[in-house]
Amino acid sequence: MKYLKPILMVLLMVVSISSCNNKKSDAALAIYQCPMLCEGDKTYIEEGSCPVCKMDLKLVEEQASEKVTSNEISEESIFNLTSKWHTEEGTKIELKDLKGKTLVMVMIYTSCKAACPRLVADMRNIEAKIPKERLKDLNFILVSIDPEVDTPERLKAFAIENLMDDAHWTFLQGTESGVREFANVLSVKYKEISPIDFSHSNIISVFNTEGELIHQQEGLGVDNAETVEAILELTK
């Protein structure tokens, strides 16, 4: 019994030291950063204010949580559409699988001899004006309005023939109903006028990474300066 008191005192000291160390460890896990990023990616392990703009430093964990919240799909997003599609590679996807990149979209059909070649040229012209380092953040999407003829194999051949087989080009074949639904969202009108020919709108649409429509370019061979500017703004 005479040794019990000293032993208890030693145990209390150990627990106290352990508790202090845990608090220090917890504090070290809290990383702070200026919300305005005045010093770039520089971070701090203690609360305080930015030495440049004097704003209070913000927990990096809180910033990460805000990013997760912002990833929710809005009511205006095309990613709400549940239609199924096949890429030129034969992969089955939904539109939400395209999330995370700026999308430049146009609706064509591969057997077209009039407007579609011009639309393809317009898409290539837009691509040429985008700095190469930004192409990784872009996806140029060509959606067929003739899914019966434009199989994934045909779309793949068309992509190769038109030098549009790089990673930032995607061709989509859907169902008749899926294509019609998507065209309505883009305000694209099309009508079959013969077994191998369609009349259709000539519209190139730009969507942000959340699938929200930001800009549309209508016409053939038109000045695409505003379209390019919209894309650069979204990928900066």
Side-chain angles (χ1 to χ4, degrees):
M1 293 292 292
K2 66 179 181 179
Y3 297 109
L4 183 57
K5 187 174 181 180
I7 292 173
L8 288 173
M9 291 180 64
V10 171
L11 288 173
L12 286 170
M13 289 178 64
V14 171
V15 172
S16 177
I17 292 171
S18 175
S19 176
C20 289
N21 287 337
N22 285 338
K23 287 180 180 177
K24 289 180 180 178
S25 297
D26 290 342
L29 292 173
I31 300 174
Y32 299 86
Q33 192 174 44
C34 171
M36 303 303 293
L37 299 178
C38 294
E39 298 178 286
D41 294 328
K42 185 174 180 180
T43 57
Y44 299 82
I45 60 172
E46 295 181 354
E47 293 181 80
S49 58
C50 171
V52 179
C53 68
K54 307 305 179 184
M55 291 182 67
D56 290 338
L57 299 177
K58 193 172 185 180
L59 273 171
V60 173
E61 288 82 0
E62 289 182 351
Q63 293 176 346
S65 285
E66 289 171 4
K67 288 180 181 178
V68 170
T69 302
S70 68
N71 283 336
E72 294 180 358
I73 298 175
S74 72
E75 293 181 358
E76 293 77 26
S77 175
I78 58 171
F79 300 147
N80 288 303
L81 300 178
T82 58
S83 47
K84 304 292 190 289
W85 304 80
H86 286 95
T87 72
E88 78 279 12
E89 304 294 344
T91 305
K92 191 173 183 178
I93 69 168
E94 293 183 25
L95 292 176
K96 65 182 180 182
D97 295 322
L98 302 173
K99 186 178 181 182
K101 291 190 176 185
T102 296
L103 307 176
V104 185
M105 291 188 164
V106 69
M107 301 189 78
I108 64 163
Y109 62 107
T110 61
S111 58
C112 176
K113 303 301 181 184
C116 295
R118 297 281 302 276
L119 284 172
V120 168
D122 286 343
M123 290 283 277
R124 291 292 307 276
N125 187 267
I126 291 170
E127 177 204 26
K129 295 181 179 179
I130 305 298
K132 289 185 178 180
E133 64 272 14
R134 297 201 193 185
L135 290 176
K136 68 182 188 305
D137 300 317
L138 278 170
N139 203 342
F140 291 86
I141 312 289
L142 291 92
V143 180
S144 173
I145 61 177
D146 188 11
E148 184 175 346
V149 172
D150 287 336
T151 62
E153 294 78 14
R154 186 179 179 102
L155 292 174
K156 178 68 173 180
F158 184 87
I160 294 172
E161 180 184 349
N162 288 276
L163 303 177
M164 303 166 85
D165 198 31
D166 292 322
H168 56 269
W169 292 99
T170 300
F171 290 75
L172 294 180
Q173 174 215 35
T175 62
E176 293 284 353
S177 59
V179 172
R180 181 66 64 184
E181 178 186 44
F182 187 63
N184 287 337
V185 171
L186 269 62
S187 298
V188 170
K189 294 179 173 58
Y190 69 93
K191 180 180 179 181
E192 185 174 0
I193 55 179
S194 79
I196 60 170
D197 202 8
F198 292 79
S199 63
H200 58 87
S201 306
N202 303 307
I203 298 175
I204 294 176
S205 305
V206 179
F207 294 83
N208 64 17
T209 56
E210 302 303 314
E212 298 162 338
L213 182 62
I214 301 300
H215 173 78
Q216 287 191 308
Q217 168 183 309
E218 186 168 5
L220 298 171
V222 300
D223 183 359
N224 59 24
E226 289 186 6
T227 303
V228 172
E229 183 180 353
I231 294 170
L232 294 178
E233 182 67 24
L234 290 170
T235 57
K236 67 180 180 180

